[in-house]
Amino acid sequence: MTIEGPSGRVSRQRMCEICHTRIFNTNSARPGVAVIRAGTLDRSNELVVTAHIWTRSKQPWLELPEGAAAWAEAAPPEEMARALGLLR
């Protein structure tokens, strides 16, 4: 599925052909970066979380790890890159 936002940025959502669960997406605002839905991975409990986006819609019982970067909506590209260790 392809979605074009008001800014003209294009998001491409990749889904399971059977159950239609979104697995990952790319966005023209962040070339070369794919966002993977951690819950779709085997052994996702072993991931080290460094950043959270769209926290305004998280469940109230979900506690974010202390020290992890977090944004209420989409993270600005440079801030996300810095949180992921791609920029210093």
Side-chain angles (χ1 to χ4, degrees):
M1 171 174 50
T2 301
I3 302 167
E4 185 171 340
S7 67
R9 294 180 176 147
V10 177
S11 175
R12 289 189 172 77
Q13 309 289 319
R14 276 54 167 225
M15 299 177 227
C16 171
E17 293 181 0
I18 297 168
C19 69
H20 304 285
T21 296
R22 285 191 295 169
I23 299 170
F24 74 98
N25 74 289
T26 57
N27 189 302
S28 63
R30 297 172 187 85
V33 174
V35 177
I36 300 171
R37 295 337 190 248
T40 66
L41 301 174
D42 292 337
R43 301 178 9 220
S44 62
N45 61 315
E46 296 175 19
L47 294 173
V48 176
V49 177
T50 58
H52 290 271
I53 57 174
W54 293 99
T55 60
R56 72 179 171 118
S57 60
K58 76 172 186 62
Q59 295 299 312
W61 45 261
L62 180 66
E63 292 186 37
L64 302 179
E66 203 169 308
W71 295 270
E73 294 185 352
E78 189 171 306
E79 288 182 35
M80 177 61 88
R82 194 168 282 112
L84 298 176
L86 303 174
L87 292 178
R88 298 281 172 222

